[in-house]
Amino acid sequence: MSKVYIPEGYQSPLSNYEMQRAIEFIKSNFQANLSNALNLRRVSAPLFVDENSGLNDNLNGYERPVGFDIPDVGANGQVVHSLAKWKRLALKRYEFHAGKGLYTDMNAIRRDEEVDNIHSIYVDQWDWEKIISRENRTTEYLKETVRSIVGAVCETSEALDVAFPSLHVKLDRDVFFITSQELEDLYPDLDAHQRENEICRQHHTVFLMQIGGKLRSGKPHDGRAPDYDDWKLNGDILFWNDVLGRSFEISSMGIRVDETSLDEQLNLADCNERRALPFHKMLLDGQLPLTMGGGIGQSRLCMLMIGTCHIGEVQVSLWDNDTQETCEKAGIMLL
């Protein structure tokens, strides 16, 4: 069975040249809309970090980072999985203040990713982070920020439709909020992905909250590393994707752990060895600012707004023979 799904009658919505123009339009416009909505400033970001720094994102805990030795430096580097922890340290080093934040163009390699229509080993996203006060470590402030991000997405999509009249993607600004436990209670007989599909089919734009901890079924909705998001104050932004007929995650985000929640989550995840790492020691000692942040997939956003069925139509990566042959037969050009 092919891992690629081609909707019946699907044709690429733009020519190869116009596709590149549309990708550039989305990227330049969305980052401006996002930075204005959240009061962010662009900074330079690393492609790799020292493997002993504790700054790389452990994702779900089993993904292997791409590593390499650097003889002249006497260290081993790791290509980043994301910049979730690096950004928090950067806010301190760059002397940002409460209410202000940063965003970066983040490029990563996730070698253990299972590739399909929406997954690639190459990850490109806007990674953002901002300093907040302790009083803003609340569900209401999280929801307010989600609405601002969704607003930036919809503004960009509406501008794209004006610039490219042949595109007709309509996104819903009205966000439906639900916790992962509420969603499991609503659809107890479905798995996590099926539950997401059903809630997005009904509400179109969804913020699924509180991801990482175990639900009453004994399993978490999805994996989250214990040392960046507070599992009680995080979530995923999901849109309904008409082309693929499924829910479509464009962002994982949240209010970050403070000293108390980091201590609790390291115990729950049985990751107490991380306490000795430099980043974790600073956080547990209260030396890092309180923050919130997330990643917003650049290629995912382009897929959603343009209406492509495969991520390889909007980004360059490596694909298996079956994917290449299936797309070629369907007249789909992989970049």
Side-chain angles (χ1 to χ4, degrees):
M1 181 178 177
S2 175
K3 62 179 71 175
V4 181
Y5 167 65
I6 309 296
E8 185 176 353
Y10 174 80
Q11 290 184 327
S12 183
L14 295 171
S15 69
N16 296 333
Y17 179 77
E18 290 296 291
M19 184 75 76
Q20 294 304 310
R21 286 188 60 234
I23 292 168
E24 191 277 332
F25 183 96
I26 292 168
K27 291 186 176 183
S28 61
N29 280 267
F30 178 72
Q31 65 184 21
N33 291 336
L34 179 69
S35 61
N36 289 334
L38 300 186
N39 198 17
L40 308 176
R41 295 295 172 264
R42 189 184 187 282
V43 301
S44 298
L47 177 61
F48 48 85
V49 294
D50 188 317
E51 70 173 7
N52 295 318
S53 66
L55 288 176
N56 208 352
D57 183 352
N58 296 94
L59 300 176
N60 294 312
Y62 60 81
E63 294 91 345
R64 299 170 299 154
V66 174
F68 56 95
D69 67 300
I70 314 170
D72 196 47
V73 177
N76 291 322
Q78 283 185 352
V79 177
V80 295
H81 278 147
S82 87
L83 298 173
K85 289 177 273 190
W86 176 89
K87 293 176 297 181
R88 191 166 184 177
L89 185 60
L91 285 170
K92 175 182 173 66
R93 294 182 61 220
Y94 298 169
E95 300 177 342
F96 278 72
H97 300 289
K100 297 184 177 181
L102 58 81
Y103 77 93
T104 73
D105 277 311
M106 195 283 296
N107 298 296
I109 299 172
R110 296 182 182 173
R111 62 193 287 187
D112 292 318
E113 195 73 72
E114 295 183 5
V115 300
D116 55 24
N117 285 65
I118 65 172
H119 293 97
S120 166
I121 64 165
Y122 170 62
V123 178
D124 55 344
Q125 65 184 32
W126 291 282
D127 250 326
W128 67 273
E129 197 89 6
K130 69 184 293 185
I131 297 178
I132 62 173
S133 65
R134 192 167 291 278
E135 291 72 29
N136 282 336
R137 296 189 80 257
T138 65
T139 300
E140 282 310 308
Y141 189 74
L142 177 64
K143 289 180 177 181
E144 178 186 325
T145 304
V146 169
R147 292 189 186 100
S148 295
I149 295 171
V150 169
V153 170
C154 291
E155 286 171 21
T156 306
S157 181
E158 290 162 5
L160 180 74
D161 288 350
V162 172
F164 296 82
S166 63
L167 300 181
H168 305 289
V169 174
K170 302 299 179 186
L171 302 179
D172 194 338
R173 289 175 178 263
D174 187 20
V175 185
F176 181 76
F177 295 91
I178 188 170
T179 69
S180 58
Q181 185 59 67
E182 290 169 340
L183 187 62
E184 183 184 66
D185 293 343
L186 200 58
Y187 303 110
D189 298 326
L190 301 182
D191 66 29
H193 293 298
Q194 292 169 333
R195 294 196 291 267
E196 290 181 5
N197 285 341
E198 286 306 310
I199 202 67
C200 282
R201 196 189 316 274
Q202 292 182 46
H203 296 282
H204 308 297
T205 305
V206 174
F207 187 62
L208 180 57
M209 301 185 291
Q210 300 181 5
I211 298 174
K214 288 183 179 179
L215 304 178
R216 281 193 282 271
S217 62
K219 300 177 181 179
H221 178 83
D222 198 4
R224 286 293 186 277
D227 47 10
Y228 57 95
D229 281 350
D230 186 320
W231 293 343
K232 298 182 181 70
L233 294 167
N234 71 346
D236 290 344
I237 298 176
L238 310 172
F239 283 90
W240 178 252
N241 188 311
D242 269 334
V243 174
L244 295 176
R246 55 163 294 170
S247 67
F248 195 76
E249 178 193 327
I250 62 121
S251 179
S252 175
M253 58 171 288
I255 291 173
R256 307 308 196 187
V257 289
D258 60 7
E259 307 93 311
T260 302
S261 54
L262 176 62
D263 178 67
E264 177 184 345
Q265 290 177 190
L266 287 176
N267 283 324
L268 287 171
D270 194 22
C271 292
N272 284 305
E273 73 282 353
R274 298 187 193 175
R275 295 174 185 270
L277 296 170
F279 171 83
H280 299 71
K281 289 172 70 174
M282 291 180 71
L283 212 165
L284 289 167
D285 290 342
Q287 297 177 20
L288 294 178
L290 298 173
T291 66
M292 72 182 306
I296 301 170
Q298 296 184 8
S299 293
R300 287 276 183 98
L301 212 56
C302 290
M303 279 188 73
L304 182 67
M305 292 183 184
I306 298 171
T308 65
C309 80
H310 198 282
I311 196 169
E313 295 176 84
V314 296
Q315 66 152 241
V316 179
S317 187
L318 295 178
W319 306 102
D320 58 279
N321 290 336
D322 173 68
T323 296
Q324 294 180 62
E325 291 169 4
T326 302
C327 288
E328 185 176 2
K329 288 178 183 177
I332 295 171
M333 176 179 165
L334 298 176
L335 301 183

